[in-house]
Amino acid sequence: MATELTGRVVLPGDPAYDKARENLNLYQSKFPGAIVFCQEEKDVLHALTFAREKGLPFRVRSGRHSYQNFSNLDGGLVIDISEMNEISVSVPTKTAKVCAGADLGKVYNTLWKYGLALPGGTEFSVGVSGVTLGGGIGYLSREFGLTCDHVERMRIVVPKGEKGAEIIEATKDENSDLFWACCGGGGGNFGIVTSFTFRTHPIDNVSVFKIDWEFDQLEDVFETWQNWAPFTDHKLTSTLELHAKSKNLIRSEGQFLGSKKRLIELIKPLLKDNKPRKVQVGSLPFNKAFNYFNEPSGNKPSFFKRSGSFVYKPIPERGISIMKRFLEHAPNEDAVIWQQSLGGAVSDVPPSDTAFFHRDAKIAQEYNTTWTNEEEARDNVQWVVALRKQMRRYTEGDYVNWPDETIRDWQQAYYGENVHRLRKIKTEVDPLNVFRFQQSVPPY
Ligand SMILES: Cc1cc2nc3c(=O)[nH]c(=O)nc-3n(C[C@H](O)[C@H](O)[C@H](O)COP(=O)(O)OP(=O)(O)OC[C@H]3O[C@@H](n4cnc5c(N)ncnc54)[C@H](O)[C@@H]3O)c2cc1C
């Protein structure tokens, strides 16, 4: 008997369709033939079996934040798990079982009630699934590591035989290769994760800072930050935003697991030779720090192009001038080059211990543009592509959670030497390449 879709199904023409199909990135937006909002694990099993029996192309979707809309497609089936978002916390073991459709806001706010935290990205609306499967960097990374370093168990719906699907569990000991691959190998490659069990950390108040400088100070501020941020106290993780010249803003923000007094000491090297326009330092409950760092309006769907790379060695003067030149000629004032300090607990784990390869990088660097009218796409995309190309001699690879369709050597860029093991695991778990998209891990 043919398998039917179960869950909330939305089809083109339904009043709910437009909202149901739309991802965060409106550039290259997609029009799927159907979207199934799974309500429980068996809906996911049915959806994968249904797609396989019908030979339907499909994509897996959770928080809808994929830069390249890899969680969406034209014409096929979107298997959306965002309505499976329950969280249960065990205080004695400091673990949380998180259904894979939860967003980071729900995870952080739930854990906070128990005085616990999961290291992850900063924006509330990002899906815990995509973040974890690709690695997961944020303001707790240098002290505790990546989000994927905190996974103890996953439940995953994987292909079975010619047309079927099955639910399996993966831990360090059970289906351990698949577990390894799902810790940094990127979403949508091997199966559909339905839940994660995470290790968490006790948390209370944190100290935060925000420093603003003028655009003209870019070279000096960048030079100081890059030699300070990845090497300072592990309890302090920070970012540096280089905005388009027309915005006249260079901003560093950071979060410290310690007192405000100690944070003021720690940021002194940043201020010594670079007179800031404004300095703010404060102490807040951990859950309030997200509002401090995020725009109060939250993320709204928009047109954007983003790409990235990792910085392993300090960028020399010539590289810094290239960034400045690009920002002087940015397509609009929303263009930004963003960096986050790594090191600390991120690099305590060897690159081959999980699929997340870029453990030894000092900085994650991102190139972003946002625009409002479709016809502005060309200039904005070209700006990002050209900037990344010019910076290649000073940087390495890219973060799989910042996918970019214009990267030709994307397998090497995202996975480095881990690509061989990933492809072997793909061959074992999904030999027929059922989980397939533009930049999915190919089987051998
Ligand atoms: C505004 C913004 C802020 C961000 N901030 C950070 C940050 O601070 N730190 C950071 O590390 N990253 C950050 N990112 C990048 C983010 O980690 C990736 O975009 C991530 O892939 C988003 O996951 P998602 O579930 O929201 O997206 P989706 O588009 O739903 O999915 C992303 C990918 O994962 C796959 N996938 C989704 N759910 C599952 C599942 N359950 N099982 C298997 N595959 C699945 C999809 O098929 C797709 O390939 C940010 C992105 C945006 C747009």
Side-chain angles (χ1 to χ4, degrees):
M1 207 175 74
T3 308
E4 294 294 324
L5 283 179
T6 54
R8 184 167 74 87
V9 179
V10 180
L11 299 170
D14 289 352
Y17 179 76
D18 259 343
K19 218 164 182 273
R21 73 158 184 87
E22 193 176 81
N23 271 22
L24 188 76
N25 193 356
L26 301 179
Y27 174 54
Q28 299 175 321
S29 63
K30 311 284 181 208
F31 294 83
I35 304 146
V36 56
F37 288 92
C38 301
Q39 306 296 312
E40 49 186 323
E41 207 171 46
K42 75 172 170 32
D43 298 339
V44 182
L45 196 65
H46 292 165
L48 181 56
T49 314
F50 176 88
R52 295 200 71 198
E53 285 173 356
K54 295 243 175 323
L56 253 188
F58 70 91
R59 294 290 167 78
V60 187
R61 193 174 69 177
S62 178
R64 307 189 188 194
H65 278 52
S66 169
Y67 289 2
Q68 286 288 164
N69 284 328
F70 286 156
S71 53
N72 210 334
L73 80 176
D74 286 321
L77 174 69
V78 171
I79 305 174
D80 187 300
I81 54 148
S82 60
E83 292 177 4
M84 292 167 55
N85 55 20
E86 291 303 303
I87 299 175
S88 53
V89 179
S90 162
V91 176
T93 60
K94 297 196 196 69
T95 57
K97 183 173 177 195
V98 176
C99 289
D103 63 22
L104 290 180
K106 179 152 183 180
V107 175
Y108 297 151
N109 284 321
T110 306
L111 289 176
W112 173 251
K113 291 183 198 149
Y114 303 91
L116 296 171
L118 173 71
T122 313
E123 299 270 0
F124 273 9
S125 55
V126 176
V128 73
S129 276
V131 170
T132 308
L133 295 170
I137 58 175
Y139 281 120
L140 293 173
S141 299
R142 300 189 66 247
E143 176 65 357
F144 297 131
L146 304 174
T147 317
C148 69
D149 299 335
H150 291 77
V151 183
E152 292 200 332
R153 176 177 293 274
M154 295 178 222
R155 284 178 68 81
I156 314 178
V157 177
V158 290
K160 185 180 178 198
E162 285 292 312
K163 300 265 184 233
E166 65 178 330
I167 302 167
I168 60 169
E169 298 218 345
T171 67
K172 274 199 170 134
D173 305 314
E174 190 183 349
N175 294 308
S176 54
D177 274 344
L178 180 59
F179 182 81
W180 177 90
C182 288
C183 292
N189 279 312
F190 302 96
I192 307 169
V193 177
T194 56
S195 70
F196 299 92
T197 304
F198 288 111
R199 229 166 16 90
T200 65
H201 300 274
I203 200 119
D204 191 358
N205 278 13
V206 294
S207 299
V208 290
F209 79 85
K210 202 176 274 189
I211 307 172
D212 292 349
W213 293 271
E214 308 281 329
F215 181 81
D216 284 347
Q217 294 168 280
L218 187 149
E219 287 104 327
D220 292 338
V221 172
F222 188 90
E223 176 66 8
T224 311
W225 185 85
Q226 72 169 343
N227 288 302
W228 167 82
F231 309 101
T232 187
D233 192 321
H234 292 179
K235 292 185 189 303
L236 173 54
T237 302
S238 63
T239 58
L240 182 68
E241 296 163 16
L242 312 174
H243 288 268
K245 183 175 183 189
S246 51
K247 202 162 190 168
N248 191 23
L249 176 65
I250 307 294
R251 169 171 288 171
S252 181
E253 295 179 333
Q255 178 179 279
F256 175 57
L257 292 163
S259 70
K260 184 174 153 186
K261 191 167 163 236
R262 173 80 183 126
L263 177 59
I264 291 170
E265 279 302 308
L266 285 169
I267 59 174
K268 272 188 181 159
L270 262 187
L271 304 169
K272 191 166 152 272
D273 298 318
N274 307 305
K275 196 169 178 302
R277 188 160 78 195
K278 193 171 169 192
V279 181
Q280 299 171 61
V281 184
S283 178
L284 303 165
F286 174 68
N287 67 330
K288 296 278 185 298
F290 289 98
N291 300 331
Y292 180 81
F293 295 121
N294 283 328
E295 293 288 323
S297 56
N299 274 322
K300 298 267 172 2
S302 58
F303 297 93
F304 64 80
K305 173 72 189 166
R306 294 179 166 201
S307 189
S309 58
F310 288 97
V311 179
Y312 278 70
K313 289 190 210 133
I315 297 179
E317 222 177 290
R318 169 104 189 89
I320 302 172
S321 316
I322 291 173
M323 293 193 282
K324 189 170 185 195
R325 185 158 44 83
F326 269 83
L327 292 164
E328 282 165 348
H329 300 97
N332 60 53
E333 68 161 27
D334 293 324
V336 61
I337 304 176
W338 181 92
Q339 19 271 314
Q340 162 148 9
S341 59
L342 299 174
V346 177
S347 45
D348 287 346
V349 178
S352 59
D353 266 25
T354 66
F356 183 90
F357 177 73
H358 294 284
R359 295 281 178 178
D360 297 330
K362 300 287 179 256
I363 295 168
Q365 182 173 58
E366 199 183 31
Y367 318 114
N368 296 348
T369 50
T370 306
W371 61 97
T372 41
N373 301 309
E374 255 167 280
E375 54 280 14
E376 296 169 63
R378 198 162 154 265
D379 285 353
N380 279 272
V381 172
Q382 269 180 5
W383 185 84
V384 170
V385 172
L387 170 60
R388 183 173 187 280
K389 196 167 161 207
Q390 293 276 315
M391 291 304 291
R392 272 194 72 177
R393 74 195 84 153
Y394 311 111
T395 59
E396 282 181 38
D398 185 19
Y399 177 25
V400 67
N401 272 350
W402 297 343
D404 175 356
E405 64 177 4
T406 71
I407 301 179
R408 287 226 195 112
D409 62 340
W410 57 270
Q411 292 187 26
Q412 194 62 33
Y414 301 153
Y415 307 123
E417 284 165 22
N418 287 342
V419 72
H420 307 296
R421 186 167 173 200
L422 279 167
R423 292 192 64 186
K424 269 198 208 154
I425 296 167
K426 175 77 176 180
T427 312
E428 279 157 28
V429 177
D430 182 17
L432 299 176
N433 207 13
V434 171
F435 284 86
R436 183 169 64 232
F437 57 93
Q438 214 172 335
Q439 291 185 342
S440 52
V441 172
Y444 277 119

